[in-house]
Amino acid sequence: MYNNKKTSSSPMKFKHFTRKGYALFACLGKEVIVGTLSVATLTYAKADGISTQPIMAEADSLATHSEIALDEVRVTGSRAPLTHGQAARMITVLEQKDIQAAPVQSINDLLKYAASVDVRQRGPIGAQTDISIRGGNQEQITILLNGINICDPQTGHNAFDFPVDVSDIERIEVLEGPAGRVFGTSSLLGAINIVTKHPKQNKISAHAEAGSYGYFNGGTSIGLTSGKWTNTISGNYTRSDGYNRNKAGRLNTDFEGAKAFYQGTYSDKDTRVSWHAGLSMRDFGSNTFYGTGSDDQFEHTFKSYTALQADTRCGKLHLSPSVYWNRNMDRFEYFRGLDNIIPEGGTYGVAYNYHRTDVYGVNLNSYFDWTLGRTAVCAELRNEDLVSTTLGEPLEQHKHIHKTDRDYTNGLNRTNISFTLEHNILLERFTLSAGIVAVKNSWNQMNMRVYPGIDASYRIGNNVKFYASYNTSLRMPSVTELYYSVGGHKADKNLKPEELQAFEGGVKYLGNGITASASVFYNHCKNMIDWILDTNEGNDAVWKSVNFTKINTLGVEASLAMKLNQLIPQQHLLKSLDLSYTYMTQDKDEPANIQSRSTLEYLRHKFVANLDLNIWSKLDLTMKYRWQKRTGSFTRKDNSGNAVVSKFKPYGLMDARLSWNADKYKLFVEANNVFNTKYYDFGSLPQPGTWIMAGASVDINL
């Protein structure tokens, strides 16, 4: 029992820890002298569904009863940092131990095992992947790297070209549902935040793996820490010969890529500063990824990321400013290696498309505590500048494309300004978080718009939490949706922003060895954007970007995670079993003659199961199974060359990883699509069959 006026500069002495779930984490951010700490206390040190970004110690606590409520680990479900016990929003977290055990080689592959996430691949190992949440499309979520928005206003197709390897990741946070109050206006249906590792000691790590289809992946990282400073630098290279042949019998799903990443931090008792810089390059054969007029497509992307962030305090006011610059460069070849070649009678224009986007952003998050709770006030300015050979309005002065004899002839510049006000009422078992985000975009002279939201949760005992929320958000059209009018496409530069109202309610149980949750959500969408094809127009039909007037989505999610080694301590074979399921149905205007690129195609059913086994000593086996059924249809050509409309068929896939996990090194062999299932994520693009690989990793302390 302590006085709430205890200063942060004076140490606290504990003779006894409470048996509450937050007890151990409550010490983070404070100077603590531990008198007695039982081993049993450590069983409560679980950061399930939270973000462990360090925060500053506070002189005045938000205690709502006689015990001091020390700073717990920060969650990312609101603008103001709240503890796990206080948070009213649910977040799915893929933790480091899950990432290391999974039979995956990319972030894209890892997200396949989140039941609410739809991962649609055109190529393997993350060569080109569209990712969406809760029945949306790849444009309707915000992608973040260490909390920095890295979305590309040109298109969401290549949003997951991260400069970090899977081995660099600490955790992945998935926030489902509108997140405009938290992550800005592009997070119409959710957000995915990739959080990278920070070194705890001086260490060198390296890994290499190889397998089917000429696959190779290798990388290394160096982590250095000294006093208040940490630095990490990493690099990675990956390649494959490809698995799918085009009509000429040539493999055209090959890929090659390289990544480099640096990050650093400085921390003292009042301030934490962090920064990162990264590069990502990728070349991949695109077969018929973006159209059936050519099966020899190719794409090259080059991306760079820089950001500077801080956390500090001025009296009772906590400030978290950040500034960033992201550059994305894309070269698309409709006919690989054949410059400006147009098929006879074709309408695809030039064979090469060049795009370059520069995104500059600055934001200031702040919050303060007072008698009635915790209030956050935030502001953000984001400028998106694009130059292209095909997209945007004609430029008054052309810009030269480096290392070519061409110029950028078109472009678009728009600025988004947003202000957020949020207040949190925190009682012992009840949390209410309410706020608004006001948005103005210079595109199309859009007026200021306001979108409210409210989240509430109530905890029963220490194990059960009920929650409910109502949130609204919007999304600006991508530049591709506004201006891509070549190659059988007709865009509409007068598209309206998408708008969404979402309701959600659920319950979560966290017990000894068992975690379970269930929720129901309802999304009411207006002006949703999609590319559609009217088959009644026959040979004159083109893909058009349009606003749907209304789409309503009703969904149910459920999950169960069991730590079998805790529930059945007499045995050592079974470690854990995780089950999750998502069901969705949509009510929308859907004429029978309309084909959709995204909005009318969604996962109605998705079931995911994960079983972890300890075979012997340090030998572990992970098996992951997912079954999914997609609505919608696509056009393919039959043996006679005639266009045939087909519906997507459900499929189930099994992946497995056998690994020897020693303290300083790991050896593994894994297989994706163990039973060689034939399946499609997009149109008539077949995905890889069984893919086998083996590898090793080593850690060396310096």
Side-chain angles (χ1 to χ4, degrees):
M1 308 286 286
Y2 293 91
N3 190 325
N4 286 352
K5 297 297 182 182
K6 190 77 176 178
T7 63
S8 60
S9 59
S10 59
M12 293 183 178
K13 294 185 179 181
F14 289 84
K15 296 182 180 179
H16 174 68
F17 277 79
T18 72
R19 295 184 58 83
K20 295 186 177 181
Y22 56 76
L24 183 61
F25 275 140
C27 303
L28 297 181
K30 295 286 189 179
E31 184 179 1
V32 179
I33 299 176
V34 178
T36 302
L37 176 64
S38 67
V39 176
T41 306
L42 295 179
T43 63
Y44 294 99
K46 175 175 175 57
D48 179 43
I50 55 179
S51 171
T52 56
Q53 183 178 353
I55 58 177
M56 300 299 106
E58 300 179 28
D60 295 321
S61 167
L62 274 177
T64 56
H65 49 94
S66 58
E67 294 177 350
I68 194 167
L70 300 180
D71 300 323
E72 291 185 26
V73 183
R74 180 183 295 184
V75 297
T76 56
S78 60
R79 278 286 186 177
L82 302 180
T83 67
H84 186 206
Q86 296 166 338
R89 196 82 181 261
M90 294 298 152
I91 303 171
T92 299
V93 174
L94 302 176
E95 299 177 352
Q96 186 177 355
K97 62 180 180 61
D98 304 315
I99 297 171
Q100 292 176 342
V104 301
Q105 299 77 41
S106 70
I107 298 172
N108 311 27
D109 292 329
L110 189 64
L111 289 168
K112 295 176 183 177
Y113 305 120
S116 63
V117 179
D118 185 6
V119 179
R120 305 185 69 183
Q121 290 194 146
R122 290 185 174 90
I125 319 296
Q128 199 288 314
T129 309
D130 290 351
I131 295 180
S132 58
I133 296 175
R134 289 187 173 178
N137 61 49
Q138 75 280 354
E139 307 286 358
Q140 296 168 340
I141 61 174
T142 296
I143 311 300
L144 304 107
L145 178 62
N146 292 324
I148 297 295
N149 186 337
I150 61 171
C151 290
D152 185 352
Q154 177 215 335
T155 178
H157 284 317
N158 298 313
F160 278 79
D161 286 358
F162 289 100
V164 296
D165 186 59
V166 173
S167 60
D168 298 324
I169 298 174
E170 177 70 27
R171 67 189 179 276
I172 300 177
E173 304 171 342
V174 181
L175 179 60
E176 301 168 10
R181 280 175 25 227
V182 186
F183 293 123
T185 57
S186 58
S187 51
L188 189 78
L189 281 166
I192 298 175
N193 184 26
I194 309 298
V195 182
T196 55
K197 297 177 182 177
H198 289 279
K200 298 179 176 60
Q201 58 184 352
N202 297 334
K203 184 172 67 173
I204 297 178
S205 300
H207 69 89
E209 57 195 51
S212 307
Y213 308 107
Y215 172 75
F216 172 79
N217 177 277
T220 186
S221 67
I222 301 175
L224 300 174
T225 178
S226 176
K228 300 176 182 179
W229 302 84
T230 70
N231 292 276
T232 304
I233 186 168
S234 64
N236 173 265
Y237 171 78
T238 184
R239 55 110 37 223
S240 170
D241 293 332
Y243 66 96
N244 192 26
R245 298 181 182 273
N246 60 17
K247 293 176 184 177
R250 185 168 58 250
L251 284 169
N252 193 37
T253 50
D254 58 305
F255 62 87
E256 182 179 29
K259 302 175 180 180
F261 188 68
Y262 164 72
Q263 65 176 342
T265 63
Y266 169 84
S267 300
D268 59 29
K269 68 174 184 176
D270 294 319
T271 302
R272 182 178 189 271
V273 181
S274 62
W275 55 90
H276 71 239
L279 301 173
S280 173
M281 183 278 294
R282 178 167 293 173
D283 294 331
F284 55 96
S286 307
N287 206 280
T288 54
F289 283 12
Y290 304 108
T292 58
S294 166
D295 58 4
D296 204 18
Q297 300 167 41
F298 176 82
E299 191 161 7
H300 165 82
T301 63
F302 182 84
K303 300 191 174 189
S304 62
Y305 309 88
T306 56
L308 176 65
Q309 303 165 272
D311 285 290
T312 188
R313 185 177 62 184
C314 299
K316 291 182 177 293
L317 182 64
H318 295 249
L319 300 173
S320 299
S322 65
V323 58
Y324 61 90
W325 169 41
N326 304 321
R327 166 167 282 193
N328 304 310
M329 302 181 70
D330 179 18
R331 183 183 82 246
F332 174 69
E333 304 175 14
Y334 203 74
F335 302 96
R336 185 171 184 169
L338 301 178
D339 192 0
N340 286 322
I341 300 298
I342 305 173
E344 183 177 352
T347 58
Y348 294 93
V350 296
Y352 280 29
N353 288 332
Y354 289 83
H355 315 286
R356 188 190 74 198
T357 58
D358 289 282
V359 179
Y360 306 90
V362 57
N363 63 62
L364 177 62
N365 292 339
S366 66
Y367 74 91
F368 58 91
D369 301 329
W370 56 301
T371 305
L372 298 180
R374 173 168 289 179
T375 300
V377 180
C378 312
E380 179 175 13
L381 184 147
R382 176 181 171 94
N383 178 261
E384 301 171 341
D385 184 76
L386 177 139
V387 288
S388 169
T389 57
T390 56
L391 302 178
E393 299 290 343
L395 295 174
E396 293 183 1
Q397 184 174 356
H398 293 181
K399 298 182 179 181
H400 184 66
I401 303 175
H402 185 56
K403 293 184 178 181
T404 73
D405 58 356
R406 294 182 179 80
D407 292 333
Y408 293 115
T409 58
N410 296 66
L412 182 71
N413 184 285
R414 61 187 185 186
T415 300
N416 193 83
I417 301 174
S418 64
F419 301 94
T420 304
L421 175 63
E422 181 183 87
H423 184 67
N424 299 273
I425 299 174
L426 309 172
L427 304 178
E428 183 175 358
R429 297 186 179 277
F430 176 74
T431 298
L432 181 67
S433 177
I436 59 171
V437 57
V439 181
K440 179 176 177 57
N441 195 286
S442 62
W443 164 76
N444 208 19
Q445 299 180 342
M446 189 188 89
N447 295 323
M448 181 75 74
R449 303 188 184 190
V450 177
Y451 296 87
I454 184 169
D455 309 314
S457 70
Y458 183 78
R459 182 165 54 90
I460 300 177
N462 294 324
N463 303 107
V464 179
K465 176 187 286 188
F466 290 90
Y467 67 95
S469 66
Y470 167 76
N471 284 286
T472 58
S473 190
L474 85 160
R475 179 185 75 88
M476 298 298 161
S478 70
V479 183
T480 298
E481 292 168 329
L482 292 170
Y483 288 99
Y484 191 71
S485 294
V486 296
H489 294 76
K490 184 178 180 181
D492 181 1
K493 68 178 184 180
N494 296 312
L495 290 173
K496 300 175 183 178
E498 297 179 326
E499 295 182 303
L500 173 68
Q501 299 180 67
F503 303 84
E504 182 176 358
V507 59
K508 184 171 184 178
Y509 172 82
L510 178 62
N512 185 21
I514 296 180
T515 301
S517 65
S519 63
V520 178
F521 62 89
Y522 176 79
N523 297 333
H524 174 69
C525 312
K526 185 172 66 173
N527 298 326
M528 301 300 279
I529 299 171
D530 194 10
W531 291 92
I532 64 170
L533 183 73
D534 188 346
T535 58
N536 286 341
E537 295 179 0
N539 295 331
D540 296 328
V542 295
W543 290 96
K544 301 175 183 178
S545 63
V546 299
N547 286 111
F548 278 109
T549 57
K550 180 184 69 173
I551 297 178
N552 299 320
T553 302
L554 176 65
V556 177
E557 297 177 354
S559 67
L560 173 65
M562 296 179 288
K563 294 183 177 180
L564 301 177
N565 50 5
Q566 289 186 24
L567 298 174
I568 316 174
Q570 300 84 358
Q571 56 83 41
H572 301 285
L573 173 64
L574 305 174
K575 294 176 62 177
S576 64
L577 174 64
D578 300 337
L579 305 172
S580 57
Y581 172 72
T582 297
Y583 168 82
M584 285 183 293
T585 182
Q586 290 188 350
D587 172 24
K588 53 190 175 294
D589 299 328
E590 184 181 354
N593 56 299
I594 295 297
Q595 287 187 52
S596 165
R597 281 278 176 85
S598 55
T599 304
L600 302 183
E601 298 176 359
Y602 65 94
L603 288 180
R604 174 158 288 173
H605 301 275
K606 185 176 180 181
F607 170 76
V608 179
N610 176 81
L611 178 63
D612 288 330
L613 305 175
N614 178 239
I615 305 299
W616 173 75
S617 184
K618 302 180 187 302
L619 185 64
D620 295 327
L621 175 64
T622 296
M623 294 183 291
K624 290 183 177 290
Y625 175 81
R626 59 188 175 94
W627 179 89
Q628 57 189 49
K629 181 178 181 181
R630 183 181 306 282
T631 66
S633 60
F634 60 93
T635 301
R636 62 178 179 84
K637 292 184 179 180
D638 60 19
N639 296 332
S640 301
N642 299 318
V644 178
V645 177
S646 301
K647 292 186 177 297
F648 286 98
K649 295 181 180 179
Y651 64 83
L653 297 177
M654 173 71 78
D655 303 323
R657 178 185 178 105
L658 184 66
S659 59
W660 180 270
N661 299 306
D663 292 336
K664 301 299 181 182
Y665 70 93
K666 294 179 175 61
L667 306 173
F668 76 89
V669 59
E670 67 185 39
N672 298 125
N673 194 1
V674 172
F675 300 115
N676 201 33
T677 301
K678 185 177 181 180
Y679 69 103
Y680 300 85
D681 281 337
F682 273 105
S684 56
L685 287 170
Q687 294 303 304
T690 302
W691 196 310
I692 300 174
M693 58 199 73
S697 63
V698 61
D699 295 328
I700 302 174
N701 293 330
L702 301 178

